[in-house]
Amino acid sequence: MSEQELPPPRRIIPPPVIASRAEASAKGSDVVRDVGVVIVAGGSGSRTGSAELKQFRWVSGKPALLHSVQAFMARPDVAVVVVVLPKAYAADPPPWLFQCDVDRLLVSTGGSERHESVVNGLEDLPEEVVVAVVHDAARPLVTDATIDRVIDEARKGHGAVAALPVVDTLKEVDEHGRIVRTVDRTRLWRAQTPQAFPREMLEQAHVAARRDHVGATDDAALCERLGFEVVVVRGSERGMKITEEADFARADALSMLAE
């Protein structure tokens, strides 16, 4: 293999098993560090119309990606945060990323599709991790309460998805834009991230997806297809996804509102 073909280096950092007593005191007792977080930041963000990656653009005073990394690292139960970056950036991440706790930071290389990026991140989680959390870097304003809810459910042995109930009236239309029917919204929810799972469940779902050549827009769908139980927990409007240029201004506004 030539020098150009070598994959970007990864920082393999063994995390401590137990959080420090100073950190754990905020939760009331010693907390086992058994949660691994994969932050998917491998996309190009082309729909924003900017040459700069949307996960690197500033939202509410700091780069969007940094919001998510710091939110998870503030938790004493998190052993490691794996940031999955586009290949061009994985070998030389932006300097501001190292404002985080570098002892719990890993950088991995993104794939051509989202699920490939998640798999790369999962492969870098240390053995101590029993709960795997996946979060999109394009949702920078994730709240600690939402993280609590998905992790609490994953510890019960099933998957958990942060989500919000649909409040708008939904219309199904044909290829000409004509309304076919009004969809009952009673049991419909808008899925967000973070999503948390028992690690073995998520790894099994991705192995099966790769074997069957199946893709999905989120990890919960891969678990659902195998019959695993996945529940929704209440998300937050602050968990919005930045997709278009106007979303940056909306995120700035949301960041100033109380949680």
Side-chain angles (χ1 to χ4, degrees), residues 164-170 185 188-190 234 237:
L164 291 174
V166 171
V167 296
D168 296 313
T169 298
L170 299 178
R185 69 186 182 197
L188 298 181
W189 290 66
R190 293 186 287 125
R234 186 79 187 196
E237 290 294 348

Side-chain angles (χ1 to χ4, degrees), residues 19 29 69 165 188:
S29 62
V69 177
L188 298 181

